[in-house]
Amino acid sequence: MSTTILASNAVMPAAPQRHHWLLPLAVLVLLAVLPNFLSSYMQDLVLRIVVYAIFALSLELLVGTTGLVSLGHAAFFGIAAYVTGLASPEAEAGSILKLLPLAMLAAGAYALVVGALSLRTKGVYFIMVTLAFAQMAYYVFHDTPIGGGSDGMYLTLRPALVIGETTLIDLDKGRHLYFFALGSLAFTFALLALVQRSRFGHALAGIRINEQRMRAAGYQTYWYKLAAFVLAGVLAGLAGFLMATKNGTVNPEMLSWHESGAVLLMIILGGLGSLRGAVIGAAAFVLLKEFYSSEAIFGSFALRWQLTLGLTMIFFVALLPKGLIGLASIGGRLGRSQTKKTAAGAEQ
């Protein structure tokens, strides 16, 4: 009985915050109006942040919510991108209604296989198994002619949504692609927010805190983790579809362990356990990479942007163990402290 009570406490939702949706909504509105003021280069940069934010959110479901650290998440990202390219017709624009579900299902199917096997391991063994499966997928596309080998492949025409003779969405147009990606980000964020507040999400949180206690309470933790793993793979597939469409090219590096490591750094930088942190981390990572690789600012040293970015990451992790999202709580504590000092001074 006591074990059941403890397990139930582990999955109890946190006290709801009032107006928690106002800030994400304000950010969404801001992103929606940005294209009216940005150059094509800056709009492309924001679009890249949006796509990586979706990718980071998908991994946040595994790492921050469920406590499963994966180093093979780029496999689902890259597989979806390749499926988008391989299934796209050469003579005409492919249908979004066909290509998007196909890309996400392919990523989810591979996630089901990887998760079914890797989730039978734990800790560092789980990390290494996910990495091994990702490298297998990487070498399949890198060393075979399936997707053009090491050179990758091109999308002749970007997908579109055509109803009858009316083209509702043409992702070959910059504005259409931007708002389609922005809508995908809003959908992903809202979906994961609902998941976190659901019984399923509370069970995942309990698994992260103490899986053994959850099993003692009667939860089939393996199936919960597998469902989370597949959902994360499907959402990573959404990001892969968008990245392939945005770039018009697909290459094996999208499946590499470097890409998996980069998205893991994003959620660590933003703050584990927070959907907002994942989005902030993606934005910070992309902007820092863009900044350090700018030859206009750093000259020839820009070629060593990995060094400066790595040092910056170490600096942030050391000073902000809760990530960039922790700055808000620090600011709140400082504000409350200053208010108390002011009140104490007034009383004296």
Side-chain angles (χ1 to χ4, degrees):
M1 178 65 72
S2 60
T3 305
T4 304
I5 294 173
L6 289 173
S8 300
N9 291 336
V11 297
M12 284 295 289
Q17 298 179 354
R18 293 181 179 179
H19 309 305
H20 59 273
W21 50 270
L22 286 179
L23 182 58
L25 181 61
V27 172
L28 184 65
V29 172
L30 176 62
L31 290 174
V33 301
L34 275 181
N36 297 317
F37 307 98
L38 297 179
S39 63
S40 57
Y41 169 79
M42 291 302 297
Q43 183 174 319
D44 182 78
L45 178 62
V46 175
L47 178 59
R48 197 189 327 161
I49 291 173
V50 168
V51 175
Y52 272 117
I54 297 172
F55 192 21
L57 284 169
S58 69
L59 184 59
E60 172 63 30
L61 175 64
L62 284 184
V63 181
T65 302
T66 317
L68 298 172
V69 180
S70 170
L71 261 183
H73 206 59
F76 317 127
F77 180 71
I79 285 174
Y82 267 103
V83 168
T84 302
L86 292 170
S88 296
E90 294 185 3
E92 60 182 4
S95 171
I96 295 175
L97 295 179
K98 172 188 174 183
L99 294 178
L100 179 57
L102 188 61
M104 295 174 70
L105 285 173
Y110 192 63
L112 179 61
V113 174
V114 175
L117 298 175
S118 62
L119 287 171
R120 300 185 183 279
T121 62
K122 293 182 179 180
V124 67
Y125 301 103
F126 173 80
I127 296 173
M128 297 310 296
V129 170
T130 57
L131 175 61
F133 273 107
Q135 289 301 100
M136 286 170 54
Y138 169 82
Y139 284 113
V140 165
F141 290 104
H142 186 275
D143 294 345
T144 67
I146 293 177
S150 59
D151 294 329
M153 61 184 302
Y154 293 88
L155 272 73
T156 306
L157 293 171
R158 291 179 173 84
L161 176 60
V162 180
I163 304 297
E165 298 182 356
T166 304
T167 302
L168 299 179
I169 302 175
D170 184 359
L171 298 185
D172 206 35
K173 297 180 179 179
R175 288 290 184 94
H176 285 212
L177 177 58
Y178 181 90
F179 285 108
F180 185 82
L182 188 59
S184 299
L185 174 59
F187 165 78
T188 303
F189 191 96
L191 175 63
L192 293 181
L194 289 174
V195 166
Q196 286 188 341
R197 288 165 174 77
S198 68
R199 181 178 176 83
F200 173 66
H202 298 156
L204 295 180
I207 292 171
R208 184 189 73 246
I209 296 169
N210 194 323
E211 183 177 356
Q212 184 176 356
R213 188 167 63 179
M214 292 297 292
R215 285 199 298 268
Y219 286 87
Q220 299 292 326
T221 59
Y222 174 83
W223 299 107
Y224 278 93
K225 292 189 294 182
L226 182 59
F229 200 93
V230 172
L231 178 57
V234 169
L235 293 176
L238 171 59
F241 168 84
L242 291 171
M243 187 60 77
T245 303
K246 170 190 171 298
N247 294 337
T249 61
V250 184
N251 62 73
E253 293 306 311
M254 295 182 70
L255 297 93
S256 70
W257 67 269
H258 302 89
E259 199 73 24
S260 295
V263 71
L264 184 59
L265 286 176
M266 290 176 195
I267 61 175
I268 293 173
L269 178 61
L272 290 176
S274 168
L275 297 181
R276 297 179 188 179
V279 176
I280 293 171
F285 187 91
V286 172
L287 291 174
L288 285 171
K289 180 179 177 181
E290 192 73 14
F291 175 69
Y292 287 131
S293 61
S294 173
E295 293 187 5
I297 299 175
F298 292 96
S300 60
F301 196 71
L303 298 175
R304 299 175 177 84
W305 62 266
Q306 294 96 334
L307 173 62
T308 48
L309 180 60
L311 292 173
T312 302
M313 290 294 301
I314 294 172
F315 174 80
F316 276 119
V317 171
L319 293 185
L320 297 169
K322 293 184 178 180
L324 294 174
I325 196 70
L327 287 172
S329 60
I330 293 174
R333 287 197 300 268
L334 291 175
R336 288 191 296 270
S337 177
Q338 185 63 36
T339 301
K340 289 179 180 178
K341 290 180 180 179
T342 303
E347 289 177 359
Q348 294 175 357

